[in-house]
Structures are given as C-alpha cells and as structure tokens.
Amino acid sequence: PNAAIIHYHPHENTCSSIDSSKLYLCDSGAQYLDGTTDVTRTIHFGEASDYEKKCFTRVLQGHINLATTIFPKGTESRK
C-alpha cells in the first residue's frame, strides 16, 4: 500500500511502519529548470534474507552491465 505514488500521503490505519526485518525503498526526485533528478535507494536496517541478497545482487549486476555496455555508433535511445 506504500508505493511510490506522486503526492502520496500515508494514512494511519493503512500505512506500513519501518521494520528492521523488511527492505525500505526510498524513491525521491525533483524537477528543476534545467533538468530532472530521480534517486532510488534500497536499505535494510536489519539482516537481509538470502533471497533479498540474491535479488539485490541481480539488480546490481544489471546496472553494472548496462553502465559498461558499449552501444554501436548511431544507436538511438528511442529504438
């Protein structure tokens, strides 16, 4: 129930609490005259499960692979 929704406001009866046994996702962004920022961080305040570690590692591997990919000259982002 606590998704990254624009102008999200928690409600006392339905919102989740930060819990050391769960992942915490912080998604923040802003718009400026010369650009837009988007920052997403995943934090665990306790001990992550093996499954959570595996998922986190796979996402990290994907980011590294994309960051180190060399695209052919002329490749457009919209295709």
Side-chain angles (χ1 to χ4, degrees):
N2 300 307
I5 301 171
I6 298 172
H7 307 296
Y8 169 77
H9 297 283
H11 299 284
E12 189 173 340
N13 296 332
T14 59
C15 68
S16 297
S17 297
I18 295 176
D19 183 335
S20 65
S21 69
K22 298 178 183 175
L23 290 171
Y24 174 72
L25 177 70
C26 180
D27 189 9
S28 177
Q31 291 184 328
Y32 300 94
L33 294 176
D34 58 348
T36 301
T37 65
D38 183 72
V39 178
T40 304
R41 296 291 180 262
T42 304
I43 304 164
H44 205 300
F45 296 109
E47 183 67 31
S49 69
D50 288 342
Y51 179 72
E52 290 168 332
K53 291 176 187 178
K54 183 178 178 180
C55 291
F56 189 90
T57 300
R58 296 293 287 168
V59 170
L60 176 59
Q61 289 171 330
H63 281 281
I64 292 169
N65 285 336
L66 184 57
T68 58
T69 297
I70 299 172
F71 294 94
K73 187 173 182 173
T75 300
E76 295 183 19
S77 63
R78 292 183 232 167
K79 290 186 179 180

